[in-house]
Amino acid sequence: MPKPTPAGRPKGEGQDGPSQLSSLADILADARVWKLKDASAAPTRPVWSTGKSSLDARLPGGGWPTASLIEVLLDHTGLGEVQLFLPALVECQRRTDQGKTEAPWLVWIAPPYEPYAPALAQAGIELTRLLIVRPASATEALWAAEQALGSGVCAAVLLWLKGTDDRWLRRLKLAAETGGALGVLFRPERHRFESSPASLRLVMTQGEHEARLDLLKVQGGRPGPVDLDDDL
């Protein structure tokens, strides 16, 4: 006596039968079907070392990620936030793209203090490729940052703001991804509990003897405090 055929399955075809394999092949061959490629084959973004081995070890790829937006939340300015990125700024100017003789631009927008040119030059910054922008308003600062990040000729763009909305943050992130630049946004520490599209968020506060650094959000990494004393 023949066995009954399960409901919904054509007679003579098992779950892994030839017809289903054929149907799967037809579906995969259809140009309208989007196929997710192997994630391991995706190109990785270049990174710039922070100059701190303890911090590099906590960041995916071992440094500040390019083509992305980094948000630094400050208890107050002058905690050494620029020095935190200085090794990366020097290195990215040294590594020029193939076929280019000039170093890429570094853009600082609305810095709270006047940059001290002799110290920057001594550290290795090429001052002729450093642009300081003094916008008249926060809107102009955001517009300038978006244009610089997406231009494709800037290695890094540093922006100081008291605050902005999520819409502008997403625009800055998209511009950084488009232009391949390292985007750094400095904002007051009070914004730490707000949502942000930045791929990396960290907070700098004044400790008992020196600044304290905590990673709030690290895509592909581990949040938490970073002990920079290990590099002393």
Side-chain angles (χ1 to χ4, degrees):
M1 180 176 180
K3 294 182 179 180
T5 301
R9 181 185 300 171
K11 183 178 180 180
E13 295 184 8
Q15 186 175 0
D16 300 319
S19 295
Q20 284 214 355
L21 292 177
S22 177
S23 299
L24 178 59
D26 292 340
I27 293 174
L28 293 176
D30 194 325
R32 295 170 297 176
V33 177
W34 180 74
K35 295 176 282 294
L36 180 64
K37 295 182 179 179
D38 184 3
S40 62
T44 57
R45 295 176 179 175
V47 300
W48 302 116
S49 173
T50 67
K52 302 288 187 180
S53 58
S54 57
L55 181 55
D56 283 349
R58 298 283 298 278
L59 300 176
W64 301 123
T66 60
S68 63
L69 179 65
I70 299 174
E71 187 178 3
V72 183
L73 302 164
L74 301 170
D75 192 7
H76 58 83
T77 57
L79 291 175
E81 59 271 21
V82 172
Q83 284 75 13
L84 198 61
F85 292 91
L86 195 56
L89 300 181
V90 172
E91 186 64 20
C92 71
Q93 278 197 326
R94 288 176 179 171
R95 295 188 191 178
T96 57
D97 295 335
Q98 293 182 357
K100 293 184 179 180
T101 57
E102 292 183 321
W105 284 95
L106 303 178
V107 181
W108 293 11
I109 302 174
Y113 305 107
E114 192 67 31
Y116 188 55
L120 294 176
Q122 185 177 10
I125 296 294
E126 189 171 332
L127 298 180
T128 58
R129 307 296 286 180
L130 173 62
L131 181 64
I132 307 297
V133 181
R134 295 289 186 183
S137 65
T139 301
E140 290 184 5
L142 288 164
W143 181 87
E146 183 181 29
Q147 298 304 307
L149 286 168
S151 67
V153 297
C154 298
V157 177
L158 277 58
L159 170 64
W160 284 261
L161 277 183
K162 292 183 178 179
T164 185
D165 55 29
D166 184 75
R167 180 179 62 89
W168 262 110
L169 291 178
R170 295 187 182 280
R171 289 177 61 170
L172 294 179
K173 180 181 180 182
L174 179 60
E177 293 173 348
T178 300
L182 166 65
V184 184
L185 170 63
F186 298 102
R187 290 204 295 169
E189 189 266 343
R190 65 176 180 269
H191 296 286
R192 68 182 298 171
F193 298 109
E194 299 176 7
S195 62
S196 171
S199 58
L200 174 62
R201 301 185 80 202
L202 52 124
V203 59
M204 291 187 71
T205 55
Q206 182 61 59
E208 184 177 354
H209 301 291
E210 58 184 14
R212 172 186 171 91
L213 182 65
D214 289 90
L215 300 178
L216 300 180
K217 174 185 176 183
V218 190
Q219 289 184 352
R222 180 168 53 91
V226 179
D227 189 2
L228 299 179
D229 291 339
D230 295 342
D231 296 281
L232 298 179

